[in-house]
Amino acid sequence: MFVTDSEVGERYRSVAKVAVGDLSDGSHVGGAAIGAFCAVVIASAAHDDRERHFATTPDAVFAQWADGLKDAAVGRVIVVGQPSEVPQPDPLAEIGAEYVVIDMTDMSAPALAAKVAAAETAPPPT
């Protein structure tokens, strides 16, 4: 789990591996993803009002994520969000990993969690 707020990170440390960093810095994102097969990206995080030091626009944040996840050699990227939150073209689609977008519009939290879990555990395409 990658978070930007260290207090949030502390809450989850007992149940998950947590990395704290700047989500607008591809090296922070990539460093947290080293050794991971799958990254689940929450598109709204590129649009909210949290502090960013490296990328200041949503499109630039997605580009940083793409650089970091490509450097970490992540095999699958799942983008969760509303279509308007995902840049077109999405640089995450170009890093050589499997790429899935889950449109969360009008989806309940349990349904969204099930869809993300299914995408994460799906066998690689043949």
Side-chain angles (χ1 to χ4, degrees), residues 1-19:
M1 170 184 294
F2 181 85
V3 298
T4 57
D5 184 327
S6 59
E7 290 178 14
V8 171
E10 283 304 316
R11 276 189 262 156
Y12 289 101
R13 282 197 198 283
S14 65
V15 296
K17 194 171 175 183
V18 177

Side-chain angles (χ1 to χ4, degrees), residues 38-72:
C38 181
V40 179
V41 174
I42 309 301
S44 63
H47 296 268
D48 64 20
D49 62 354
R50 78 185 76 207
E51 186 175 357
R52 294 176 180 82
H53 295 285
F54 293 90
T56 57
T57 67
D59 286 0
V61 171
F62 269 80
Q64 285 290 314
W65 291 347
D67 287 346
L69 296 177
K70 181 177 182 179
D71 288 347

